[in-house]
Amino acid sequence: LLIKAVVSTQSTGAPAAGAATEGLDVSQEDGVLTIRLNRPEKFNALTWAMYTAIGETLNAAAENPSVKVAVITGTGKWYCSGNDLSNFTKNMPAGGPQEMASNGQRVLNDFCDAMIKFPKPLVAAVNGPAIGIPVTTLGLCDLVYCTDNATFKTPFVSLGQSPEGCSSFIFPRTFGFAKANEMLLTERQITAQEACDGGLVTRIFTEDRFRDEVDKVVKHMASLPPQSMRISKGLIRQEVTEKLLEVNKRECEVLRERWLSDECMTAIMNFLNRKK
C-alpha cells in the first residue's frame, strides 16, 4: 500500500493516502518529496516499521517521475536519536532473539540499500542533534544541511554494537582515519562546525533561517532538468555504488552477530534500565 500510495502522489502537497506509518509523515509538493520523522516525544527514534516505510518510500519515489528531489528531516528540536532500542525488547518474534536479529539485519540492509540506490538527489535536513544511524547514513545523502545547534554522535561500542550505514567505509574517507576513529571508537560527539569542516555536512544555517534556506535549495534543484540531474548523480556515484552495497551487506551481517552477543544484550538492558 505504501509503495502504491507514494507512486500515485501528485504535486499537491497532500500526503499520500494509505502511506501512514506511525512516527513518519510523507508529503510531496512541487517535485519535492519530504520524509519527516515525527516522534518528537521519542526524539524521532526509528522503529522497524519506520525503517521499512522510509526504504519503500524511496524505492517508489525512484520510479515516480513527479518526484525530483527527496528530503529527510525531523520534527521538533531533534533530527533523530537513532535506533529505538525497544526494537530489541518488545514484540519478540516466535523464533526468539535469532529471528529478531535476522529480521533486523534484513530491515537495516534494505533501508540502507534504498538510500544507496536512490537515483535522484537525496537531501538530509538535519534540524537538531543526531545519534547513531541518522549520523552514519548522512554519507549516503547527496547534500546535508544542518542547524548551528546540531550535534553528531555514534555510540555503537558502548551499546555492544558496531558501525552501520556504510560509515566504516565512508567516515575514514571523509574525515580521515584518525578523526573517524575518534567518532566511531571513542564515541566523541562533534559539533555542526566540525561536521562541516570534515566534509560530512554541506552547509550550516542558523535555526531561524534553516527551513527557509533548505527550501530554497531543494526547490531550485526540483526546477532543474531531471534527467540531467539523475545522470550527473550517477556519474558522481558510479565508482562507489557497488562498493557501498557490499559494505552495507557486511556491516549488517556483523550487526546481526553483535545483536545476539551477551555483550550487546547486557549493554542494551543496562541502557534501558538507566532510562527508567
Side-chain angles (χ1 to χ4, degrees), residues 6 12 23 41 65 77 83 107 115 127 140 146 150 162 180 189 197 228 233 250 257-258 264 269 276:
V6 174
T12 60
E41 74 285 356
K77 295 294 185 181
N83 204 8
V107 168
M115 296 185 73
N127 56 292
L140 304 180
C146 75
S162 53
Q189 177 174 284
D197 291 344
S228 179
K233 173 172 175 172
R250 179 55 183 153
E257 296 169 3
R258 296 307 306 150
C264 179
M269 294 310 299
K276 290 181 179 178

Side-chain angles (χ1 to χ4, degrees), residues 215-229:
D215 283 348
K216 287 180 188 177
V217 173
V218 297
K219 286 178 179 177
H220 171 66
M221 295 181 77
S223 73
L224 298 173
Q227 288 306 313
S228 179
M229 186 71 75

